[in-house]
mmCIF file of all heavy atoms in Angstrom:
data_model
loop_
_atom_site.group_PDB
_atom_site.id
_atom_site.type_symbol
_atom_site.label_atom_id
_atom_site.label_comp_id
_atom_site.label_asym_id
_atom_site.label_seq_id
_atom_site.Cartn_x
_atom_site.Cartn_y
_atom_site.Cartn_z
ATOM 1 N N ALA A 58 -0.070 4.780 6.629
ATOM 2 C CA ALA A 58 0.185 5.841 7.610
ATOM 3 C C ALA A 58 1.612 5.847 8.134
ATOM 4 O O ALA A 58 1.994 6.763 8.868
ATOM 5 C CB ALA A 58 -0.785 5.696 8.778
ATOM 6 N N SER A 59 2.405 4.846 7.771
ATOM 7 C CA SER A 59 3.744 4.721 8.349
ATOM 8 C C SER A 59 4.697 5.750 7.782
ATOM 9 O O SER A 59 4.560 6.210 6.647
ATOM 10 C CB SER A 59 4.293 3.312 8.108
ATOM 11 O OG SER A 59 4.479 3.076 6.722
ATOM 12 N N GLY A 60 5.681 6.117 8.599
ATOM 13 C CA GLY A 60 6.691 7.067 8.181
ATOM 14 C C GLY A 60 7.996 6.383 7.812
ATOM 15 O O GLY A 60 8.138 5.167 7.951
ATOM 16 N N PRO A 61 8.960 7.139 7.325
ATOM 17 C CA PRO A 61 10.270 6.576 7.009
ATOM 18 C C PRO A 61 10.879 5.895 8.234
ATOM 19 O O PRO A 61 10.666 6.324 9.370
ATOM 20 C CB PRO A 61 11.084 7.797 6.590
ATOM 21 C CG PRO A 61 10.072 8.813 6.164
ATOM 22 C CD PRO A 61 8.887 8.584 7.043
ATOM 23 N N ASP A 62 11.619 4.829 8.000
ATOM 24 C CA ASP A 62 12.277 4.119 9.095
ATOM 25 C C ASP A 62 13.521 3.439 8.549
ATOM 26 O O ASP A 62 13.962 3.730 7.429
ATOM 27 C CB ASP A 62 11.329 3.104 9.741
ATOM 28 C CG ASP A 62 10.806 2.053 8.768
ATOM 29 O OD1 ASP A 62 11.305 1.995 7.615
ATOM 30 O OD2 ASP A 62 9.907 1.274 9.144
ATOM 31 N N GLU A 63 14.102 2.520 9.342
ATOM 32 C CA GLU A 63 15.322 1.848 8.902
ATOM 33 C C GLU A 63 15.083 0.951 7.695
ATOM 34 O O GLU A 63 16.030 0.566 7.000
ATOM 35 C CB GLU A 63 15.923 1.025 10.049
ATOM 36 C CG GLU A 63 15.097 -0.164 10.509
ATOM 37 C CD GLU A 63 14.017 0.187 11.508
ATOM 38 O OE1 GLU A 63 13.757 1.399 11.702
ATOM 39 O OE2 GLU A 63 13.430 -0.745 12.097
ATOM 40 N N GLU A 64 13.815 0.593 7.420
ATOM 41 C CA GLU A 64 13.512 -0.249 6.269
ATOM 42 C C GLU A 64 13.545 0.550 4.965
ATOM 43 O O GLU A 64 13.968 0.039 3.933
ATOM 44 C CB GLU A 64 12.140 -0.904 6.426
ATOM 45 C CG GLU A 64 11.896 -1.627 7.744
ATOM 46 C CD GLU A 64 12.803 -2.829 7.943
ATOM 47 O OE1 GLU A 64 13.433 -3.258 6.965
ATOM 48 O OE2 GLU A 64 12.873 -3.331 9.075
ATOM 49 N N SER A 65 13.075 1.793 5.017
ATOM 50 C CA SER A 65 12.988 2.606 3.808
ATOM 51 C C SER A 65 12.892 4.079 4.184
ATOM 52 O O SER A 65 12.222 4.426 5.168
ATOM 53 C CB SER A 65 11.756 2.212 2.990
ATOM 54 O OG SER A 65 11.537 3.123 1.925
ATOM 55 N N PRO A 66 13.514 4.967 3.396
ATOM 56 C CA PRO A 66 13.363 6.405 3.636
ATOM 57 C C PRO A 66 12.027 6.952 3.159
ATOM 58 O O PRO A 66 11.719 8.126 3.389
ATOM 59 C CB PRO A 66 14.520 7.007 2.830
ATOM 60 C CG PRO A 66 14.739 6.033 1.712
ATOM 61 C CD PRO A 66 14.461 4.683 2.298
ATOM 62 N N LEU A 67 11.218 6.111 2.523
ATOM 63 C CA LEU A 67 9.930 6.550 1.997
ATOM 64 C C LEU A 67 8.838 6.382 3.042
ATOM 65 O O LEU A 67 8.852 5.440 3.835
ATOM 66 C CB LEU A 67 9.554 5.725 0.757
ATOM 67 C CG LEU A 67 10.521 5.774 -0.424
ATOM 68 C CD1 LEU A 67 10.039 4.842 -1.525
ATOM 69 C CD2 LEU A 67 10.671 7.191 -0.952
ATOM 70 N N ASP A 68 7.850 7.278 3.030
ATOM 71 C CA ASP A 68 6.677 7.048 3.862
ATOM 72 C C ASP A 68 5.809 5.979 3.214
ATOM 73 O O ASP A 68 6.075 5.507 2.104
ATOM 74 C CB ASP A 68 5.907 8.339 4.119
ATOM 75 C CG ASP A 68 5.282 8.961 2.869
ATOM 76 O OD1 ASP A 68 5.043 8.227 1.877
ATOM 77 O OD2 ASP A 68 5.025 10.169 2.871
ATOM 78 N N GLY A 69 4.761 5.566 3.925
ATOM 79 C CA GLY A 69 3.977 4.438 3.463
ATOM 80 C C GLY A 69 3.330 4.642 2.108
ATOM 81 O O GLY A 69 3.345 3.735 1.259
ATOM 82 N N MET A 70 2.756 5.813 1.885
ATOM 83 C CA MET A 70 2.102 6.069 0.607
ATOM 84 C C MET A 70 3.098 5.991 -0.538
ATOM 85 O O MET A 70 2.829 5.372 -1.581
ATOM 86 C CB MET A 70 1.422 7.440 0.631
ATOM 87 C CG MET A 70 0.210 7.537 1.535
ATOM 88 S SD MET A 70 -1.248 6.633 0.896
ATOM 89 C CE MET A 70 -1.781 7.734 -0.414
ATOM 90 N N ALA A 71 4.273 6.603 -0.349
ATOM 91 C CA ALA A 71 5.282 6.579 -1.408
ATOM 92 C C ALA A 71 5.832 5.176 -1.624
ATOM 93 O O ALA A 71 6.106 4.765 -2.762
ATOM 94 C CB ALA A 71 6.418 7.543 -1.052
ATOM 95 N N LEU A 72 5.980 4.409 -0.539
ATOM 96 C CA LEU A 72 6.496 3.048 -0.651
ATOM 97 C C LEU A 72 5.524 2.164 -1.438
ATOM 98 O O LEU A 72 5.932 1.384 -2.306
ATOM 99 C CB LEU A 72 6.740 2.476 0.741
ATOM 100 C CG LEU A 72 7.413 1.109 0.833
ATOM 101 C CD1 LEU A 72 8.788 1.129 0.180
ATOM 102 C CD2 LEU A 72 7.520 0.672 2.296
ATOM 103 N N VAL A 73 4.228 2.296 -1.150
ATOM 104 C CA VAL A 73 3.226 1.529 -1.893
ATOM 105 C C VAL A 73 3.213 1.955 -3.355
ATOM 106 O O VAL A 73 3.163 1.116 -4.268
ATOM 107 C CB VAL A 73 1.841 1.701 -1.251
ATOM 108 C CG1 VAL A 73 0.747 1.155 -2.163
ATOM 109 C CG2 VAL A 73 1.792 1.020 0.111
ATOM 110 N N ARG A 74 3.275 3.239 -3.576
ATOM 111 C CA ARG A 74 3.252 3.750 -4.953
ATOM 112 C C ARG A 74 4.436 3.197 -5.756
ATOM 113 O O ARG A 74 4.308 2.868 -6.935
ATOM 114 C CB ARG A 74 3.278 5.275 -4.939
ATOM 115 C CG ARG A 74 2.961 5.937 -6.270
ATOM 116 C CD ARG A 74 2.913 7.441 -6.141
ATOM 117 N NE ARG A 74 1.797 7.884 -5.324
ATOM 118 C CZ ARG A 74 1.909 8.454 -4.130
ATOM 119 N NH1 ARG A 74 3.114 8.661 -3.595
ATOM 120 N NH2 ARG A 74 0.839 8.840 -3.447
ATOM 121 N N GLU A 75 5.587 3.075 -5.109
ATOM 122 C CA GLU A 75 6.788 2.626 -5.803
ATOM 123 C C GLU A 75 6.880 1.115 -5.935
ATOM 124 O O GLU A 75 7.389 0.598 -6.926
ATOM 125 C CB GLU A 75 8.035 3.141 -5.066
ATOM 126 C CG GLU A 75 9.351 2.742 -5.722
ATOM 127 C CD GLU A 75 10.544 3.360 -5.032
ATOM 128 O OE1 GLU A 75 10.746 4.582 -5.193
ATOM 129 O OE2 GLU A 75 11.277 2.630 -4.330
ATOM 130 N N LYS A 76 6.361 0.377 -4.947
ATOM 131 C CA LYS A 76 6.654 -1.055 -4.879
ATOM 132 C C LYS A 76 5.457 -1.994 -5.047
ATOM 133 O O LYS A 76 5.647 -3.209 -5.088
ATOM 134 C CB LYS A 76 7.338 -1.369 -3.539
ATOM 135 C CG LYS A 76 8.742 -0.812 -3.401
ATOM 136 C CD LYS A 76 9.674 -1.429 -4.433
ATOM 137 C CE LYS A 76 11.113 -1.008 -4.262
ATOM 138 N NZ LYS A 76 11.808 -1.701 -3.181
ATOM 139 N N VAL A 77 4.231 -1.487 -5.133
ATOM 140 C CA VAL A 77 3.064 -2.363 -5.238
ATOM 141 C C VAL A 77 2.439 -2.221 -6.631
ATOM 142 O O VAL A 77 2.075 -1.123 -7.044
ATOM 143 C CB VAL A 77 2.023 -2.057 -4.144
ATOM 144 C CG1 VAL A 77 0.789 -2.944 -4.324
ATOM 145 C CG2 VAL A 77 2.625 -2.290 -2.760
ATOM 146 N N ALA A 78 2.318 -3.355 -7.316
ATOM 147 C CA ALA A 78 1.698 -3.355 -8.636
ATOM 148 C C ALA A 78 0.185 -3.437 -8.548
ATOM 149 O O ALA A 78 -0.529 -2.833 -9.357
ATOM 150 C CB ALA A 78 2.230 -4.537 -9.456
ATOM 151 N N LEU A 79 -0.326 -4.211 -7.561
ATOM 152 C CA LEU A 79 -1.761 -4.465 -7.477
ATOM 153 C C LEU A 79 -2.112 -4.893 -6.067
ATOM 154 O O LEU A 79 -1.349 -5.613 -5.416
ATOM 155 C CB LEU A 79 -2.157 -5.585 -8.449
ATOM 156 C CG LEU A 79 -3.612 -6.073 -8.396
ATOM 157 C CD1 LEU A 79 -4.544 -5.024 -9.006
ATOM 158 C CD2 LEU A 79 -3.770 -7.413 -9.108
ATOM 159 N N LEU A 80 -3.264 -4.462 -5.604
ATOM 160 C CA LEU A 80 -3.885 -5.002 -4.408
ATOM 161 C C LEU A 80 -5.095 -5.812 -4.849
ATOM 162 O O LEU A 80 -6.029 -5.283 -5.454
ATOM 163 C CB LEU A 80 -4.313 -3.883 -3.461
ATOM 164 C CG LEU A 80 -5.153 -4.311 -2.244
ATOM 165 C CD1 LEU A 80 -4.400 -5.288 -1.357
ATOM 166 C CD2 LEU A 80 -5.601 -3.079 -1.443
ATOM 167 N N SER A 81 -5.061 -7.123 -4.572
ATOM 168 C CA SER A 81 -6.196 -8.017 -4.854
ATOM 169 C C SER A 81 -6.839 -8.339 -3.521
ATOM 170 O O SER A 81 -6.260 -9.060 -2.698
ATOM 171 C CB SER A 81 -5.716 -9.298 -5.544
ATOM 172 O OG SER A 81 -6.792 -10.178 -5.790
ATOM 173 N N ALA A 82 -8.023 -7.789 -3.272
ATOM 174 C CA ALA A 82 -8.632 -7.851 -1.939
ATOM 175 C C ALA A 82 -9.984 -8.531 -1.977
ATOM 176 O O ALA A 82 -10.793 -8.296 -2.872
ATOM 177 C CB ALA A 82 -8.783 -6.446 -1.358
ATOM 178 N N MET A 83 -10.224 -9.403 -0.981
ATOM 179 C CA MET A 83 -11.564 -9.911 -0.758
ATOM 180 C C MET A 83 -12.237 -8.944 0.189
ATOM 181 O O MET A 83 -11.976 -8.933 1.389
ATOM 182 C CB MET A 83 -11.485 -11.322 -0.141
ATOM 183 C CG MET A 83 -12.845 -12.062 -0.128
ATOM 184 S SD MET A 83 -13.894 -11.619 1.252
ATOM 185 C CE MET A 83 -15.285 -10.914 0.352
ATOM 186 N N ALA A 84 -13.091 -8.101 -0.353
ATOM 187 C CA ALA A 84 -13.737 -7.067 0.455
ATOM 188 C C ALA A 84 -14.922 -6.507 -0.313
ATOM 189 O O ALA A 84 -14.900 -6.406 -1.538
ATOM 190 C CB ALA A 84 -12.751 -5.941 0.799
ATOM 191 N N GLY A 85 -15.951 -6.147 0.427
ATOM 192 C CA GLY A 85 -17.098 -5.473 -0.161
ATOM 193 C C GLY A 85 -18.170 -6.438 -0.651
ATOM 194 O O GLY A 85 -18.036 -7.660 -0.578
ATOM 195 N N ASP A 86 -19.240 -5.829 -1.117
ATOM 196 C CA ASP A 86 -20.369 -6.559 -1.688
ATOM 197 C C ASP A 86 -20.916 -5.680 -2.797
ATOM 198 O O ASP A 86 -21.386 -4.568 -2.536
ATOM 199 C CB ASP A 86 -21.428 -6.833 -0.620
ATOM 200 C CG ASP A 86 -22.575 -7.704 -1.120
ATOM 201 O OD1 ASP A 86 -22.826 -7.713 -2.334
ATOM 202 O OD2 ASP A 86 -23.220 -8.377 -0.296
ATOM 203 N N PHE A 87 -20.828 -6.175 -4.038
ATOM 204 C CA PHE A 87 -21.214 -5.370 -5.185
ATOM 205 C C PHE A 87 -22.492 -5.879 -5.839
ATOM 206 O O PHE A 87 -22.779 -5.580 -6.999
ATOM 207 C CB PHE A 87 -20.050 -5.298 -6.174
ATOM 208 C CG PHE A 87 -18.827 -4.693 -5.547
ATOM 209 C CD1 PHE A 87 -17.828 -5.501 -5.019
ATOM 210 C CD2 PHE A 87 -18.710 -3.325 -5.414
ATOM 211 C CE1 PHE A 87 -16.723 -4.952 -4.397
ATOM 212 C CE2 PHE A 87 -17.609 -2.757 -4.795
ATOM 213 C CZ PHE A 87 -16.610 -3.568 -4.288
ATOM 214 N N ALA A 88 -23.259 -6.641 -5.040
ATOM 215 C CA ALA A 88 -24.566 -7.110 -5.499
ATOM 216 C C ALA A 88 -25.674 -6.523 -4.636
ATOM 217 O O ALA A 88 -26.751 -7.105 -4.517
ATOM 218 C CB ALA A 88 -24.606 -8.631 -5.463
ATOM 219 N N GLY A 89 -25.401 -5.394 -4.007
ATOM 220 C CA GLY A 89 -26.420 -4.692 -3.245
ATOM 221 C C GLY A 89 -26.683 -5.247 -1.874
ATOM 222 O O GLY A 89 -27.739 -4.981 -1.275
ATOM 223 N N GLY A 90 -25.751 -6.005 -1.335
ATOM 224 C CA GLY A 90 -25.953 -6.631 -0.038
ATOM 225 C C GLY A 90 -25.599 -5.735 1.129
ATOM 226 O O GLY A 90 -25.308 -4.540 0.984
#
């Protein structure tokens, strides 16, 4: 949700799209829990 600032002229979505290869997250339950 972040906007451009002194760190980057890109908003948050564009910054993630440009600079993040993968999000590895411990989250959810995929065994029906």
